[in-house]
Amino acid sequence: SIGITVSPNTAGKLLKKLGFSLKVNHKKIASGGKSRSRKEQRHRNEQFRYISEQRESYARKGHPSISVDTKKKELIGNFKNPGATYRRGPREVNDHDFSSYSTGKGIPYGIYDTQRNKGMVFVGTTSDTADFAVDCIEKWWCKEGQMQYSSSNCILILADSGGSNGSRCRRWTLGIQEKLCDRHHLDVTVAHYPPGTSKWNPIEHRLFGEISKNWAGTPLETFETMLKFIRTTKTTTGLKVKAYLVRKKYEKGNKVPDGQLAQIKLERHTNFPNWNYTITPRKM
């Protein structure tokens, strides 16, 4: 200090001349930060390359590749929704986000067709479980997939490593076996993104991000309001989205016994077998 007193405005002007400005934190450092080992970093990059190769192979052969995930759960009611809208005055919403003030909770599970730039979202009303996730994918196949890819008998699914479609979830692999492979005679290959890298899953920025922009600043007062915003989500690149409400009740905690797990016809890939595997139909 040299004993010169200046006003905040003057300090701000001096900082601006020196190239300073107000900045926010950016999430750029992968999970683990500097402590991430070179081996982990290499494995992550190699898995990204492997997923890219799988997608290119499926696209070249005319087979579907879909990106799936659960979007953030939303309270249904007059709650604040981040963002801003053009209005003459601010909209008054509940001062607290108490679930007791809501009429329910919307759980959007999305399927994004990476080749056709089309999305389908199923809004659940109970719990985000593996059974719910697989049911949504089967509904996508019945409503759209089997018509758009009528000559295909295989699907590539891109998913995160955790949650209802996690790489260690027994109900997830059992559901794929029973509801996709056995029921629809499909070979299903699943490629999981490494832990902490979910934002690279295409559905996050190509579908969910656009939905969030579309309903920004508007309370999701009813399930129909939520569905309307999802259905009207579009982009200049041609994104179109369909949405459906799922009122079926899903219970957490359903287990898969070892004996039932052993009957799943699952073959793990040589490349990162915990993240990549193919499940094929069983002879009935």
Side-chain angles (χ1 to χ4, degrees):
S1 175
I2 58 176
I4 300 175
T5 302
V6 296
S7 69
N9 287 341
T10 300
K13 291 177 181 178
L14 291 173
L15 287 170
K16 188 175 182 179
K17 286 182 178 180
L18 292 172
F20 289 88
S21 62
L22 292 173
K23 303 290 185 182
V24 298
N25 295 335
H26 280 197
K27 293 184 178 181
K28 295 291 185 180
I29 302 175
S31 296
K34 295 182 179 179
S35 63
R36 177 181 290 276
S37 69
R38 290 184 179 179
K39 182 178 180 181
E40 288 176 311
Q41 186 72 36
R42 186 178 71 252
H43 285 180
R44 191 187 76 167
N45 293 340
E46 288 175 1
Q47 176 65 357
F48 285 166
R49 281 193 290 270
Y50 188 67
I51 289 175
S52 179
E53 291 168 1
Q54 291 286 306
R55 288 180 60 182
E56 290 174 5
S57 175
Y58 273 71
R60 190 167 55 249
K61 296 173 183 177
H63 299 314
S65 61
I66 57 174
S67 172
V68 303
D69 198 13
T70 307
K71 195 179 187 302
K72 183 177 75 70
K73 302 176 183 67
E74 302 285 351
L75 286 176
I76 304 301
N78 192 31
F79 298 100
K80 180 180 179 180
N81 204 351
T85 56
Y86 285 101
R87 296 176 59 89
R88 292 187 181 276
R91 179 168 184 162
E92 294 185 353
V93 297
N94 296 334
D95 57 353
H96 288 85
D97 294 341
F98 294 144
S99 58
S100 58
Y101 292 174
S102 73
T103 57
K105 184 178 290 185
I107 306 169
Y109 191 87
I111 296 96
Y112 174 71
D113 186 332
T114 63
Q115 296 177 38
R116 297 175 56 248
N117 194 27
K118 309 296 179 186
M120 189 173 288
V121 180
F122 295 91
V123 178
T125 56
T126 53
S127 300
D128 179 24
T129 67
D131 294 324
F132 171 56
V134 175
D135 281 354
C136 292
I137 297 172
E138 185 191 16
K139 287 185 176 74
W140 168 83
W141 177 253
C142 293
K143 291 177 179 293
E144 197 161 292
Q146 64 183 353
M147 291 179 285
Q148 298 297 330
Y149 301 95
S150 57
S151 60
S152 294
N153 65 343
C154 57
I155 301 176
L156 172 64
I157 299 177
L158 310 178
D160 293 347
S161 287
S164 57
N165 44 226
S167 57
R168 297 184 180 182
C169 182
R170 292 185 173 192
R171 294 291 302 182
W172 163 253
T173 53
L174 177 63
I176 291 175
Q177 178 72 79
E178 294 179 341
K179 298 175 183 178
L180 293 174
C181 300
D182 297 345
R183 189 175 295 173
H184 298 283
H185 310 289
L186 294 168
D187 294 346
V188 178
T189 293
V190 183
H192 292 276
Y193 283 85
T197 64
S198 61
K199 67 179 181 180
W200 276 277
N201 194 347
I203 195 171
E204 296 296 337
H205 48 273
R206 295 186 182 177
L207 179 59
F208 288 165
E210 299 301 328
I211 292 173
S212 294
K213 291 177 189 176
N214 197 35
W215 68 32
T218 305
L220 303 175
E221 293 188 296
T222 66
F223 282 108
E224 189 54 42
T225 302
M226 187 179 202
L227 293 169
K228 178 183 177 182
F229 276 110
I230 295 173
R231 290 168 181 154
T232 56
T233 298
K234 297 179 181 179
T235 64
T236 55
T237 57
L239 173 68
K240 293 183 179 180
V241 190
K242 296 179 180 179
Y244 303 90
L245 185 65
V246 179
R247 292 198 178 276
K248 179 179 177 179
K249 292 184 178 180
Y250 290 92
E251 296 181 359
K252 295 182 178 180
N254 291 327
K255 305 295 183 181
V256 178
D258 291 342
Q260 199 172 13
L261 182 68
Q263 295 174 11
I264 298 175
K265 196 175 179 183
L266 183 151
E267 181 180 352
R268 298 193 177 276
H269 296 196
T270 302
N271 293 61
F272 305 111
N274 290 332
W275 293 337
N276 306 293
Y277 48 87
T278 299
I279 303 174
T280 54
R282 296 175 292 195
K283 293 183 179 179
M284 309 303 287

